[in-house]
C-alpha cells in the first residue's frame, strides 16, 4: 500500500503533522478501535486524562473534554467529532491561548495488510509564535509513538478471542429521531411490555407463577418487535418474589424457559409491594452504568389457581428447586414487619393497619365518618372506571360510590371503614414483564423508536419501620423525599405529570401518597391510577408495580410528550419506590436515587400502659358474618408515647363503629380495656424529645446527644439512632462533615451503665459499641466537647477525626477503676494519637488529663471558651467544606491508611489515592479559579 492510498490530511491548519504504522490485526477490529474514543487513553500518547466520560463509539456531533500534554505542558481541549465513518474519526478541538487542534485517525487496507494513520493539524498562538516549529516537532514525535502504540494494542486485542469477536451492541451515540436529542448509548429505555390476566383458572393444566411470568415476557418480546432475540440477549433477569408459590431462584427458571443465559439473576425480598418498581429502578441503573444492556423484569401470581385447587383438594405439582439454589442477589429488605405491641394488637394483617391509618387520614382532613366515606368511595369509584377500560384488569367493571359504600353480598365489611371492595384483591392469576435495554441495544436490535419509553428518574426510601413508632400515622416522609428527589432529577413537578399510578392497596395509601407528592384526589383529567388499582385491576402479591409500569408504557407511547409517574409500596406505607417515565428523552442521565432521611421524632410504642390518653386512630375488625368483634385504638399518652389497645368491650365497639372516637379522652386500664372519659376533642400531644437531635447546616450535619438528665450517657435506643444517623450521613452526597456534640453543656458520659446493669447494652449490630465506635466512618467527623469526655465519652470523642474542646474540659478512660477496659476503641485510639508514655499513663491510672494538655500533645485540635465549642467546631467544619470534596477525601484516606504502608509501596499507594482528585474536573476548576481570582465551584468529580 502506498502513502497516497491514505486519506487526505486535515486542512486549514498552519501546521500539519502525521505518522503511520502497520497493524497486525483484522481490519474490522482496527476500525472498532479507531471509533472507540474511550480507548484513546490507551494509545494516544498526547492523552493525559478525560474530563468526564467520552463516547465509546464516535458519532458526528459528539463532544467531550480531554486534557492533553503538549511539550510537557497540560492543556484542556474541548473536542467535537466532525467525521465518523468505518475506520475514520475526525476531531476538532479548542484549548487555551486560542489553541486549535485537529486530530484524524484512520485505518485502511484489508485483513493481513492494515495500516493506521494518525494526523494532527495545529493552529493558534502557540504555533504561530517562534515556538511553532518546536511544537509541531513535538506533536509529530508523539504521533509516531501513538501509531506504534495503536498497532500494539490492536495486536493484543486480536489475540483475545472474546475481544476479537466484538461486543454485541456498538456503543455509539444514538440520535432520537423525533426530538433530535443525542443519546448516550447507555441511556435506559423500556422497549417491551407484556401482561397476562388468566381470569378462569385451568385446573386441567394449572400454570405456576413462573410459567405466567414467562408468557408475560414473551408478550413483551413481541411488543418490542424484536421477539425472542431480545429475550435471549438478557444480561440479567430480575424476578419479583411470588407470594402464591415459593421459588429459590425464580429468575433462573424464567431465563431457562426463554433460552437466555444471563450473567445475573436477582429476586426481590419475599414480601413487599415496592418490589416491581424497585426492580425496574435497579434495572435502569444497571443499564445506565454500563453493567447490562438487556434486563428482563417480571413477576406473577397464581393465587386464583391455588385457591381453586385447594377448594377441590388438588395438590399442585409446580416446580421446586434444590436447597442450594439461590439468585445472585436479593434486592430489598426482609426485616420483620411488626414490633411486639403491633402483633399483640392484631395489626399483622395489612387491612387492619391500613384501616387504622385511614382514621388518622380522616382526622387530618377534618372530615366526619360520613364525609370521609364519601371521599374514599368516590376515589375508588374513579379507579373502577379506569379498570373498566383496562383489558388486563381482573375486575373490569365500574362501580358507583353508593355500591362501594353498601356492605353485603360480595362486599362484606372487613375493617372499619373498609368493606371488601375497598381492599386489595390478592386472589388473582396475573403476570407482567417489562424489558429494559440501553438505547445502543435497542438500536442494534432494530426496535422502533416509537416503542421506546425512557426512564427519567427512580427513587426509593423507607419510612420509620414500625407503624406504631411513627410520629404521624397519616404522613410519609419517605414518599415526600423520593418525590422531591425524583422530580428534581427529572426537572419537572407534579403539575407536569399527565399519567399517574399511585399504589392503591387501600384508600389510605393513595391519600397519603397524593398528599405528599402534591396530586389532588379528584382531578377528572388525571385519575390516580392507570390500571384501576389493586381492587379492580388486581393485587398480585408483590408484583402490582410491574403491571403499573407496563400500563404506563402504553399510555406514554400514545402520548409521547407526556410524563408518567408510578409508585409502589411495601408493608404498611413502609417501603417506597417511585419512577418517572416519558417517551421524550430525559434532561439528565438516569439515576436510581436513594434520598437520605434522617430519623424524625418518633413515638415510643409501649408494651404496657395504664393511665390517661387521647384517641389518635381507631378501627374495628369484623367477623365473616359482618359483626364487629374487636376494636383497635391507637392512644397517645400525655408524654406523646403510643399505646395500642385491642378491645372487645361493647361500649368501645359502639363508639368506633357508630360514633367518632377520634381526639376523645380515655383512661387506659391495660392492652384490652379502655374507658372514654369525655366527649370533648383534644389536641394530640407531640412526641417526646428524642435522645438524638440532628440539624443540617448546609453541607455540615450537627448531631447532638440529647440526654442531659443522664449526662448524655448512651443507651441502646440512642446507640441505634446514632448508627442510623451515621449511616444516613455516609449515604448523603450533600453532607460532607459531621459535628458530634452533647446537649446541656455536657459531651457524653459514654455508655449508660444503669441501663447496662439492667441488661440493655448500647451495642448495635453494625457499628458496635455506642452505635458508632466499631466501624470506620468514610467522611470527616468533628467532636465538639463541652464538659468532660470520660470513659465512653472519651471513646466517643476519639471516633472523630478532629476534636474541639472547652479549655476547662477533661479527657480520660477511668474504666480500670471499675474493673473494665476502654475497649470501644479508647485505649487503641489513644495509643495511635498520643506519645506512648502518655497513652500508657491514661490507660493504666484511669486518671484524666485536662484539655489544655491534650491540645499541647495534639489530641485536641482547637480550644474554645466554655459555651463557644460548637461555634468553633462549626467554623472548623466550614474550613473543610470550602475545599474540594475529592481532595479532602483523598487526603483523609492518606492520613488514615499510610501508617500501614511499607516504605517501598508508600509513594505509589499515595499516588493512587491522590490521582482521583488530581485528575478530576475539580482540579481543573481549582486551577482556573486561582488564575481568575474567584472562588472555585466544586462539583465533586
Amino acid at each position: 500500500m502506498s502513502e497516497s492510498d491514505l486519506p487526505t490530511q486535515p486542512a486549514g491548519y498552519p501546521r500539519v503533522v502525521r505518522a503511520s504504522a502497520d497493524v497486525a490485526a483484522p481490519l474490522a477490529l482496527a476500525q472498532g478501535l479507531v471509533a472507540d474514543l474511550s480507548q484513546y487513553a490507551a494509545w494516544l500518547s498526547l492523552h493525559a486524562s478525560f474530563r468526564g466520560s467520552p463516547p465509546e463509539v464516535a458519532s458526528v456531533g459528539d463532544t467531550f473534554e480531554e486534557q492533553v500534554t503538549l511539550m510537557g505542558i497540560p492543556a484542556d481541549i474541548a473536542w467535537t467529532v466532525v467525521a465518523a465513518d468505518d475506520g475514520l474519526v475526525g476531531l476538532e478541538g479548542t484549548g487555551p491561548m486560542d489553541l486549535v487542534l485537529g486530530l484524524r485517525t484512520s485505518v485502511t487496507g484489508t485483513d493481513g495488510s492494515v495500516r493506521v494513520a494518525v494526523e494532527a493539524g495545529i493552529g493558534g498562538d502557540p504555533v504561530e509564535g517562534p515556538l511553532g516549529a518546536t511544537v509541531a516537532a513535538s506533536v509529530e514525535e508523539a504521533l509516531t509513538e501513538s501509531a506504534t502504540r495503536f498497532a500494539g494494542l490492536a495486536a493484543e486485542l486480536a489475540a483475545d478471542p472474546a475481544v476479537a469477536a466484538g461486543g454485541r451492541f456498538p456503543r455509539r451515540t444514538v440520535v432520537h429521531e423525533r426530538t433530535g436529542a443525542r443519546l448516550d448509548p447507555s441511556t435506559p429505555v423500556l422497549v417491551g411490555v407484556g401482561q397476562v390476566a388468566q381470569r378462569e383458572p385451568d385446573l386441567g393444566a394449572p400454570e405456576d407463577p413462573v410459567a405466567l411470568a414467562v408468557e408475560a415476557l414473551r408478550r413483551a418480546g413481541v411488543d418490542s418487535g424484536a421477539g425472542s432475540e431480545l429475550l435471549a440477549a438478557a444480561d440479567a433477569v430480575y424476578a419479583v418474589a411470588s407470594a402464591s408459590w415459593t421459588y429459590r431462584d425464580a429468575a433462573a427458571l424464567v431465563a431457562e424457559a426463554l433460552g437466555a443465559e444471563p450473567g445475573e439473576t436477582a429476586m426481590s425480598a419475599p414480601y413487599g409491594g415496592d418490589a416491581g418498581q424497585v426492580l425496574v429502578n435497579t434495572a435502569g441503573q444497571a443499564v445506565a452504568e454500563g453493567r447490562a444492556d438487556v434486563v428482563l423484569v417480571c413477576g406473577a401470581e397464581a393465587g386464583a389457581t391455588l385457591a381453586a385447587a385447594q377448594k377441590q383438594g388438588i395438590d399442585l405439582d409446580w416446580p421446586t428447586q434444590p436447597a442450594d439454589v439461590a439468585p445472585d442477589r436479593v434486592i430489598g429488605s426482609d426485616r420483620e414487619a411488626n414490633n411486639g405491641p403491633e402483633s399483640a394488637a392484631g395489626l399483622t394483617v395489612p387491612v387492619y393497619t391500613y384501616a387504622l391509618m385511614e382514621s388518622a387520614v380522616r382526622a387530618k382532613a377534618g372530615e366526619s365518618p360520613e364525609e370521609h366515606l364519601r371521599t374514599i368511595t368516590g376515589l375508588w369509584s374513579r379507579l373502577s372506571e379506569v379498570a373498566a377500560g383496562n383489558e388486563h384488569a381482573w375486575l373490569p367493571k365500574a362501580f358507583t360510590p353508593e355500591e362501594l359504600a353498601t356492605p353485603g353480598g360480595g362486599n362484606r365489611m372487613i375493617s372499619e371503614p373498609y368493606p371488601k371492595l375497598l381492599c386489595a384483591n390478592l386472589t388473582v392469576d396475573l403476570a407482567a414483564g417489562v424489558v429494559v435495554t440501553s438505547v445502543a441495544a435497542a438500536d442494534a436490535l432494530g426496535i422502533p423508536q416509537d416503542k421506546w419509553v425512557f426512564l427519567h428518574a427512580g427513587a426509593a426510601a423507607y419510612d420509620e419501620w414500625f407503624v406504631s413508632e411513627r410520629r404521624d400515622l397519616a404522613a410519609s416522609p419517605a414518599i415526600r423525599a423520593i418525590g422531591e428527589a425524583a422530580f428534581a432529577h427529572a426537572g419537572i413537578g407534579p403539575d407536569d405529570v399527565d399519567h399517574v399510578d399511585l399504589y392503591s392497596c387501600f384508600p389510605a395509601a393513595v391519600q397519603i401518597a397524593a398528599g405528599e407528592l402534591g396530586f389532588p384526589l379528584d382531578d377528572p383529567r388525571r385519575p390516580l391510577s392507570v390500571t384501576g388499582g389493586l381492587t379492580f385491576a388486581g393485587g398480585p402479591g408483590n408484583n402490582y408495580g410491574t403491571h403499573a409500569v407496563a400500563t404506563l408504557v402504553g399510555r406514554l407511547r400514545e402520548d409521547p410528550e407526556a410524563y408518567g409517574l408510578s409508585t409502589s409500596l411495601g408493608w404498611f406505607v413502609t417501603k417506597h419506590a417511585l419512577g418517572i417515565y416519558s417517551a421524550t428523552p430525559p434532561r439528565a442521565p438516569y439515576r436510581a436515587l436513594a434520598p437520605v432521611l434522617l430519623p424524625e421524632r418518633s413515638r415510643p410504642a409501649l408494651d404496657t400502659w395504664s393511665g390517661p390518653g387521647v384517641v389518635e386512630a381507631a378501627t374495628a375488625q369484623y367477623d365473616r358474618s359482618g359483626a364487629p368483634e374487636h376494636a383497635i385504638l391507637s392512644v397517645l399518652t400525655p408524654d406523646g408515647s403510643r399505646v395500642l389497645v385491642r378491645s372487645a368491650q361493647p361500649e368501645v365497639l359502639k363508639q368506633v363503629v357508630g360514633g367518632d372516637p377520634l381526639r376523645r379522652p380515655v383512661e387506659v386500664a391495660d392492652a384490652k380495656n379502655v374507658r372514654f372519659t369525655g366527649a370533648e376533642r383534644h389536641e394530640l400531644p407531640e412526641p417526646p424529645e428524642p435522645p438524638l437531635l440532628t440539624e443540617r447546616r448546609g453541607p455540615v450535619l450537627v448531631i447532638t446527644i440529647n440526654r442531659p438528665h443522664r449526662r448524655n450517657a448512651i443507651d441502646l435506643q440512642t446507640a441505634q439512632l446514632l448508627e442510623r444517623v451515621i449511616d444516613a450521613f455516609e449515604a448523603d452526597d450533600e453532607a460532607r462533615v459531621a459535628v458530634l456534640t452533647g446537649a446541656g453543656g455536657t459531651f457524653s458520659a459514654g455508655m449508660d451503665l444503669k441501663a447496662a446493669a439492667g441488661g440493655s447494652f448500647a451495642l448495635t449490630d453494625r457499628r458496635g459499641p455506642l452505635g458508632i465506635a466499631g466501624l470506620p466512618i468514610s467522611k470527616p467527623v468533628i467532636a465538639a466537647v463541652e464538659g468532660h469526655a470520660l470513659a465512653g465519652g472519651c471513646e466517643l470523642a476519639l471516633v472523630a477525626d478532629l476534636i474541639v474542646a472547652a479549655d476547662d474540659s477533661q479527657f480520660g478512660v477511668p474504666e480500670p477503676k471499675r474493673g473494665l477496659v476502654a475497649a470501644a476503641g479508647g485505649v487503641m485510639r489513644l495509643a495511635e494519637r498520643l506519645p506512648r508514655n502518655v497513652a500508657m499513663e491514661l490507660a493504666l491510672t484511669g486518671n484524666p488529663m485536662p484539655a489544655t494538655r491534650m491540645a499541647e500533645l495534639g489530641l485536641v485540635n482547637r480550644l474554645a471558651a466554655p459555651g463557644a465549642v460548637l461555634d468553633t467546631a462549626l467554623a472548623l467544619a466550614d474550613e473543610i467544606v470550602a475545599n474540594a470534596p475529592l481532595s479532602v477525601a483523598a487526603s483523609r484516606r492518606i492520613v488514615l491508611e499510610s501508617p500501614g504502608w511499607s516504605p517501598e509501596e508508600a509513594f505509589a499507594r499515595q499516588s493512587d489515592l491522590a490521582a482521583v482528585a488530581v485528575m478530576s474536573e475539580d482540579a481543573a476548576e481549582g486551577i482556573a479559579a486561582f488564575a481568575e481570582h474567584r472562588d472555585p465551584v466544586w462539583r465533586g468529580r
Side-chain angles (χ1 to χ4, degrees):
M1 178 185 298
S2 67
E3 294 291 311
S4 61
D5 294 327
L6 293 169
T8 306
Q9 296 176 350
Y13 294 91
R15 295 183 182 273
V16 177
V17 294
R18 68 189 305 275
S20 60
D22 291 324
V23 179
L27 177 62
L29 186 148
Q31 290 175 333
L33 188 57
V34 167
D36 188 349
L37 297 176
S38 66
Q39 286 278 19
Y40 280 38
W43 63 264
L44 183 64
S45 61
L46 294 170
H47 172 86
S49 66
F50 287 119
R51 305 302 193 193
S53 300
E56 290 186 21
V57 178
S59 298
V60 173
D62 285 346
T63 60
F64 64 99
E65 295 185 9
E66 179 184 24
Q67 187 177 82
V68 302
T69 302
L70 299 174
M71 296 180 60
I73 301 173
D76 282 353
I77 306 298
W79 293 112
T80 299
V81 179
V82 296
D85 205 343
D86 289 341
L88 169 67
V89 170
L91 306 177
E92 289 183 353
T94 58
M97 299 176 61
D98 296 323
L99 174 67
V100 291
L101 284 178
L103 184 66
R104 180 186 176 112
T105 307
S106 59
V107 291
T108 57
T110 58
D111 288 348
S113 180
V114 177
R115 191 165 181 81
V116 62
V118 189
E119 305 151 293
I122 317 165
D125 291 349
V127 177
E128 295 169 3
L131 292 177
T134 305
V135 172
S138 172
V139 173
E140 184 173 16
E141 182 180 345
L143 294 190
T144 299
E145 180 184 353
S146 297
T148 301
R149 288 168 64 173
F150 181 98
L153 178 61
E156 179 183 333
L157 294 174
D160 184 338
V163 174
R168 293 181 302 162
F169 309 117
R171 312 298 297 179
R172 62 169 50 90
T173 299
V174 176
V175 177
H176 189 246
E177 296 161 0
R178 180 170 57 83
T179 64
R182 300 179 61 79
L183 304 174
D184 182 282
S186 294
T187 301
V189 283
L190 287 152
V191 297
V193 298
Q195 298 186 68
V196 174
Q198 182 178 266
R199 297 187 185 92
E200 294 294 332
D202 181 3
L203 295 182
E207 291 191 295
D208 70 292
V210 159
L212 295 175
V214 168
E215 175 58 25
L217 281 171
R218 286 187 174 132
R219 294 184 184 186
V222 171
D223 173 66
S224 74
S228 59
E229 181 184 5
L230 170 65
L231 305 179
D235 300 298
V237 178
Y238 298 165
V240 174
S242 171
S244 52
W245 194 256
T246 300
Y247 302 93
R248 296 187 181 276
D249 186 358
L253 295 175
V254 169
E256 181 181 6
L258 295 173
E261 297 180 359
E264 179 188 39
T265 61
M267 285 183 65
S268 67
Y271 302 105
D274 60 323
Q277 185 64 62
V278 166
L279 294 190
V280 172
N281 290 354
T282 305
Q285 193 65 43
V287 170
E289 292 176 355
R291 293 183 286 109
D293 276 304
V294 179
V295 183
L296 312 183
V297 180
C298 63
E301 294 295 346
T305 293
L306 187 65
Q310 290 174 341
K311 188 174 182 179
Q312 296 190 24
I314 298 174
D315 290 329
L316 296 171
D317 186 22
W318 283 350
T320 58
Q321 293 171 289
D324 60 348
V325 170
D328 294 305
R329 61 173 168 153
V330 175
I331 299 171
S333 174
D334 191 25
R335 184 180 175 187
E336 69 277 8
N338 298 101
N339 59 19
E342 292 166 14
S343 297
L347 294 179
T348 56
V349 179
V351 63
Y352 303 142
T353 303
Y354 279 94
L356 185 71
M357 297 169 75
E358 188 70 59
S359 68
V361 171
R362 173 174 71 79
K364 179 175 281 191
E367 295 181 332
S368 68
E370 296 76 20
E371 291 170 335
H372 195 64
L373 184 62
R374 287 194 293 272
T375 295
I376 60 179
T377 55
L379 172 62
W380 241 234
S381 175
R382 291 189 291 276
L383 297 192
S384 74
E385 291 170 0
V386 173
N390 176 9
E391 64 177 309
H392 303 295
W394 186 257
L395 181 59
K397 176 184 175 182
F399 290 82
T400 66
E402 292 73 24
E403 288 174 316
L404 296 173
T406 304
N411 194 33
R412 66 180 179 86
M413 288 299 299
I414 306 294
S415 189
E416 188 70 29
Y418 294 159
K420 186 175 182 180
L421 287 176
L422 294 187
C423 302
N425 179 10
L426 305 181
T427 311
V428 297
D429 286 358
L430 293 172
V434 302
V435 183
V436 182
T437 75
S438 64
V439 294
D443 189 58
L445 289 166
I447 299 173
Q449 290 192 4
D450 60 8
K451 293 287 187 180
W452 298 7
V453 170
F454 295 90
L455 288 74
H456 282 236
Y462 296 161
D463 270 310
E464 183 74 43
W465 193 266
F466 297 123
V467 174
S468 61
E469 296 176 11
R470 293 178 192 164
R471 177 174 187 158
D472 183 352
L473 297 182
S476 172
I479 294 178
R480 182 168 64 252
I482 63 175
E484 290 173 352
F487 281 139
H489 187 78
I492 63 171
D495 291 342
D496 300 308
V497 179
D498 292 297
H499 305 282
V500 178
D501 196 279
L502 303 185
Y503 195 87
S504 48
C505 48
F506 302 94
V510 177
Q511 294 165 91
I512 291 172
E516 300 291 9
L517 294 173
F519 294 122
L521 288 178
D522 56 357
D523 184 350
R525 182 189 66 87
R526 187 176 60 184
L528 297 181
S529 178
V530 295
T531 68
L534 280 80
T535 300
F536 309 108
N542 302 320
N543 193 48
Y544 172 81
T546 316
H547 287 271
V549 172
T551 307
L552 264 181
V553 167
R555 293 282 191 94
L556 294 170
R557 286 171 176 170
E558 296 172 356
D559 191 4
E561 301 290 338
Y563 290 92
L565 178 146
S566 174
T567 69
S568 291
L569 66 80
W571 285 129
F572 314 112
V573 192
T574 306
K575 305 190 288 184
H576 306 280
L578 176 150
I580 295 176
Y581 308 91
S582 178
T584 295
R587 304 174 188 180
Y590 175 80
R591 283 185 62 195
L593 305 162
V596 176
L597 278 77
L598 292 169
E600 292 201 337
R601 289 177 66 173
S602 59
R603 298 186 185 274
L606 305 180
D607 291 302
T608 60
W609 169 258
S610 60
V614 179
V615 177
E616 172 197 24
T619 186
Q621 301 171 337
Y622 288 77
D623 63 21
R624 296 191 69 84
S625 71
E629 56 180 354
H630 286 98
I632 302 175
L633 281 70
S634 172
V635 177
L636 300 185
T637 66
D639 74 347
S641 298
R642 184 179 279 117
V643 60
L644 297 173
V645 178
R646 178 180 173 86
S647 173
Q649 297 166 274
E651 64 273 20
V652 174
L653 284 167
K654 182 179 179 181
Q655 287 292 335
V656 173
V657 174
D660 184 359
L662 303 187
R663 305 293 195 270
R664 287 184 57 188
V666 293
E667 184 75 19
V668 177
D670 53 37
K672 295 182 179 180
N673 295 281
V674 63
R675 176 174 58 86
F676 286 90
T677 58
E680 69 277 11
R681 309 289 175 180
H682 288 224
E683 292 296 319
L684 298 179
E686 286 294 311
E689 277 278 320
L692 201 72
L693 304 175
T694 59
E695 179 187 2
R696 295 178 187 268
R697 299 196 183 188
V700 179
L701 176 65
V702 180
I703 306 168
T704 303
I705 304 166
N706 186 36
R707 303 187 77 216
H709 60 288
R710 296 288 300 153
R711 295 177 56 240
N712 293 325
I714 296 178
D715 62 358
L716 177 58
Q717 180 192 9
T718 310
Q720 290 171 334
L721 278 173
L722 188 54
E723 179 177 80
R724 287 175 58 189
V725 168
I726 294 300
D727 287 347
F729 166 61
E730 287 196 313
D732 189 348
D733 291 338
E734 301 301 319
R736 294 188 52 202
V737 179
V739 175
L740 179 63
T741 190
T746 300
F747 181 62
S748 174
M751 184 177 291
D752 189 328
L753 296 181
K754 182 177 180 180
S760 178
F761 295 92
L763 189 69
T764 60
D765 292 338
R766 290 187 60 254
R767 295 192 178 270
L770 309 177
I772 192 174
L775 278 181
I777 301 172
S778 62
K779 298 178 183 180
V781 177
I782 301 172
V785 179
E786 292 273 10
H788 300 323
L790 302 176
C794 182
E795 295 184 283
L796 191 65
L798 291 171
V799 169
D801 298 284
L802 305 168
I803 299 175
V804 177
D807 52 25
D808 64 350
S809 61
Q810 291 187 323
F811 291 78
V813 284
E815 279 84 350
K817 296 178 183 293
R818 304 184 184 95
L820 304 173
V821 175
V827 175
M828 176 179 66
R829 291 183 173 115
L830 286 172
E832 291 173 350
R833 301 184 190 184
L834 289 172
R836 175 188 177 277
N837 285 9
V838 176
M840 195 68 78
E841 180 180 346
L842 285 165
L844 300 186
T845 68
N847 294 329
M849 290 188 182
T852 51
R853 176 63 173 150
M854 293 294 96
E856 293 171 357
L857 295 169
L859 183 70
V860 171
N861 297 85
R862 297 188 183 179
L863 293 169
V869 171
L870 179 58
D871 288 341
T872 304
L874 290 170
L876 179 58
D878 288 341
E879 293 179 31
I880 295 171
V881 300
N883 298 323
L886 295 178
S887 298
V888 169
S891 299
R892 181 174 180 271
R893 284 191 63 186
I894 292 170
V895 171
L896 292 174
E897 298 176 21
S898 59
W901 297 343
S902 68
E904 294 78 15
E905 67 175 343
F907 201 86
R909 295 283 296 275
Q910 172 189 263
S911 298
D912 288 344
L913 292 178
V916 175
V918 172
M919 307 302 286
S920 69
E921 292 181 32
D922 278 353
E925 166 64 10
I927 295 169
F930 177 80
E932 297 166 10
H933 305 288
R934 60 172 174 81
D935 291 333
V937 179
W938 307 124
R939 300 184 181 276
R941 59 176 188 258

